[in-house]
């Protein structure tokens, strides 16, 4: 059995709203499905509202709006916040990624989310609409 979760891309204005929208899509109002990239990837591993058996599909509507909201500028802000809290052994890498994003280069948060879904759930688990 395939379970489809709808991500309303028009509601996404940054990472915080993405976590809210995806949490509600999977687990209903107020639902949790990660609050950062690592937690999101962990949730896709199962046991957090997704089916333990069967396929899941994320239908990401208005994904182009989300791609803009989660673009390079927002990615740079996200990485800057992460670098401020990271262990010193990770700060240099995060600051370099932040500088790349600020310059409009490298993967965006949107790119990373798409990659995580496809890696954890399979290439057919995401429909970008």
């Amino acid at each position: 059995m395939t379970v489809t979760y709808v991500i309303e891309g028009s509601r996404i204005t940054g990472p915080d709203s993405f976590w809210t929208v995806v949490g509600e899509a999977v687990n209903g109002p107020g639902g949790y499905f990660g609050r950062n990239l690592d937690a999101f990837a962990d949730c896709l591993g199962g046991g957090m509202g997704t089916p333990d058996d069967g396929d899941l599909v994320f239908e990401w509507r208005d994904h182009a709006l989300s791609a803009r909201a989660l673009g390079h500028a927002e990615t740079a802000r996200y990485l800057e916040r992460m670098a401020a809290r990271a262990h010193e052994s990770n700060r240099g890498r995060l600051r370099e990624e932040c500088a790349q994003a600020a310059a409009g280069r490298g993967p965006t948060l949107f790119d990373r989310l798409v990659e995580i879904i496809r890696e954890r759930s399979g290439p057919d688990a995401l429909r970008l609409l």
Side-chain angles (χ1 to χ4, degrees):
M1 178 174 136
T2 300
V3 177
T4 301
Y5 302 102
V6 176
I7 300 171
E8 293 293 349
S10 61
R11 292 182 52 208
I12 297 170
T13 58
D16 289 339
S17 61
F18 173 80
W19 308 127
T20 299
V21 169
V22 76
E24 291 175 355
V26 175
N27 291 310
Y32 173 85
F33 205 71
R35 296 290 302 162
N36 62 57
L37 295 173
D38 291 333
F40 179 64
D42 289 345
C43 288
L44 285 169
M48 292 299 296
T50 58
D52 291 329
D53 57 352
D55 296 321
L56 67 90
V57 171
F58 284 96
E59 184 177 290
W60 197 329
R61 297 179 183 168
D62 295 317
H63 77 279
L65 295 174
S66 300
R68 282 192 291 280
L70 299 170
H72 284 107
E74 191 61 45
T75 301
R77 283 188 288 276
Y78 179 83
L79 291 168
E80 187 175 300
R81 287 190 305 271
M82 285 187 62
R85 296 187 315 261
H87 186 273
E88 66 182 61
S89 63
N90 292 325
R91 282 191 198 126
R93 177 186 55 81
L94 288 168
R95 287 191 175 124
E96 175 58 33
E97 288 179 20
C98 180
Q100 291 294 315
R105 295 189 299 272
T108 64
L109 282 169
F110 179 81
D111 297 331
R112 290 173 189 227
L113 290 165
V114 166
E115 180 181 359
I116 290 168
I117 293 169
R118 289 184 171 150
E119 283 180 358
R120 291 291 183 127
S121 302
D124 297 326
L126 180 62
R127 296 182 193 139
L128 297 174
L129 305 176

